[in-house]
Amino acid sequence: MDRNALLASGAVGVVVIALAAAIVVPGVLADPTDEGPVRPGPVDVADVSIAAGPATGETATLEIETRIDHRRNPTQNVSVLVRAVDAESGLLTTTKQVDVGTISRDGEKTVSTNLTVPREGGYDIEVILYRNAERVDEARKSVRGVSAIKPPYLQSTTSFTDSEALPPVSFSIADAGEDQTTLDLSATLANTGDDPAEDLSVMFVLRQAESNIVASRTTVDAGAIRAGRTETVSATTTVPNDYNYYIDAVLLRDGVVIDTARGAANLNPTRTISVNQTTEEVELRVEDFENGGDGGAPDEREYAATETESAAPGFGAVVALVALLASALIARRRSQ
């Protein structure tokens, strides 16, 4: 056979075999347009925002919104880990992980996470972004004063006023007796909300400044305060004379304390106190604050110290020696 014909037959055979293999086994021949495995697009933390959520007496919920920026190819197995670390102790308080899945669109994707923490102190919020269980980015933000997030029963638009022209607590003397003084007490409340405030009451507590003894306690109904209005609540009480008092006013709604204020009543003309401090100690007669009874104080007497001395008349030691010798002689005669 001609050599050229043999080579041509071999070439044709190779082509036939290749075509047959391509038909029987797809994918044997590489696609010239195939660029290999698709690399996932880049993702990172664009921003983190924190909002106050629901609260109870003990806990507060932090609503954390993480914005993830994504570009180019789809990215699979994306997840976000959020942690709350106590700002003072550095201890981990709580953690939560959210599976985002696959991100295919270019732009930002929002991931929401709620963390429940104790309603006290402050926290460092750490947000860690993972792709295929590999950390790719992270961000941190801090939140302070979590105790200011109040549960619904503590939320109120009504509070005591805070003005020198319109003080939250004031008093006037209604009657000055020989031993006791009657005071007219006033508390000024303002409703800064859009709705009327109802079921309010004010408790007035008068404490003797130096001893903190409660001299009087009275509660009055504050009624309803219209939106945007300021109202004054009044009460009358009687306390012993010649003492200085702190006037504590407590605003309550359905038995829950929602605000407090303090004033001072100086009924001792020789000594004065301010709301923030006392400047001098005074003599306190506890019987003035007793409820009923004569309140008589125990009788205090001073006794003079006395010194007793003893002395034997005569010669002292010489007489004692003579007596001893005489006793010895008498005993000797009896023995004979």
Side-chain angles (χ1 to χ4, degrees):
M1 178 179 285
D2 187 13
R3 182 177 181 181
N4 292 331
L6 183 60
L7 292 177
S9 300
V12 171
V14 171
V15 172
V16 171
I17 294 174
L19 292 175
I23 295 173
V24 176
V25 185
V28 171
L29 298 179
D31 186 357
T33 61
D34 188 6
E35 298 180 356
V38 179
R39 298 187 59 182
V43 288
D44 55 55
V45 179
D47 186 36
V48 176
S49 59
I50 304 173
T56 66
E58 296 181 350
T59 63
T61 299
L62 303 179
E63 298 178 348
I64 302 167
E65 185 179 89
T66 305
R67 302 185 70 84
I68 302 174
D69 184 55
H70 171 259
R71 293 289 182 270
R72 297 193 292 275
N73 298 329
T75 304
Q76 299 177 345
N77 298 327
V78 178
S79 62
V80 175
L81 177 66
V82 183
R83 305 193 300 181
V85 179
D86 188 281
E88 183 175 353
S89 66
L91 298 177
L92 179 64
T93 302
T94 185
T95 182
K96 188 173 184 180
Q97 184 164 351
V98 179
D99 292 328
V100 182
T102 300
I103 304 178
S104 57
R105 296 179 57 184
D106 286 357
E108 294 185 352
K109 181 178 180 61
T110 301
V111 178
S112 299
T113 312
N114 293 336
L115 290 184
T116 300
V117 296
R119 198 171 64 88
E120 59 183 8
Y123 299 91
D124 294 326
I125 306 300
E126 299 177 352
V127 177
I128 304 172
L129 180 64
Y130 289 91
R131 181 185 60 199
N132 293 324
E134 179 184 357
R135 180 183 299 197
V136 293
D137 197 12
E138 61 182 76
R140 172 179 293 199
K141 274 199 172 182
S142 298
V143 58
R144 298 293 183 266
V146 177
S147 59
I149 305 175
K150 297 181 179 181
Y153 61 84
L154 290 179
Q155 297 175 5
S156 176
T157 59
T158 304
S159 61
F160 291 105
T161 58
D162 186 13
S163 170
E164 294 183 359
L166 197 62
V169 181
S170 59
F171 77 98
S172 61
I173 297 177
D175 180 59
E178 182 178 353
D179 298 322
Q180 293 184 321
T181 298
T182 300
L183 303 177
D184 285 337
L185 307 175
S186 298
T188 308
L189 303 172
N191 181 7
T192 58
D194 298 329
D195 299 316
E198 301 177 346
D199 299 328
L200 300 175
S201 61
V202 176
M203 177 190 298
F204 293 96
V205 180
L206 274 73
R207 302 177 187 271
Q208 201 275 331
E210 288 74 21
S211 66
N212 207 35
I213 293 177
V214 175
S216 173
R217 190 196 310 267
T218 182
T219 303
V220 294
D221 186 9
I225 302 178
R226 292 180 297 167
R229 298 298 195 272
T230 299
E231 301 288 347
T232 300
V233 180
S234 301
T236 301
T237 188
T238 301
V239 293
N241 289 339
D242 299 329
Y243 292 100
N244 295 327
Y245 300 92
Y246 287 125
I247 307 174
D248 291 322
V250 184
L251 178 60
L252 302 104
R253 183 184 60 199
D254 193 21
V256 178
V257 176
I258 57 178
D259 197 16
T260 60
R262 169 171 284 191
N266 293 300
L267 302 185
N268 186 340
T270 62
R271 300 175 176 88
T272 60
I273 62 171
S274 66
V275 173
N276 297 322
Q277 64 179 2
T278 58
T279 59
E280 197 171 343
E281 295 183 357
V282 299
E283 180 183 358
L284 176 68
R285 297 186 301 275
V286 178
E287 62 270 18
D288 291 343
F289 299 93
E290 290 182 345
N291 296 325
D294 297 334
D299 185 18
E300 297 183 359
R301 299 179 181 177
E302 295 184 359
Y303 297 91
T306 59
E307 182 179 355
T308 59
E309 296 181 358
S310 62
F315 296 99
V318 176
V319 175
L321 182 59
V322 172
L324 181 62
L325 292 175
S327 299
L329 290 174
I330 293 173
R332 182 176 181 184
R333 287 180 181 181
R334 288 180 179 178
S335 63
Q336 291 177 355

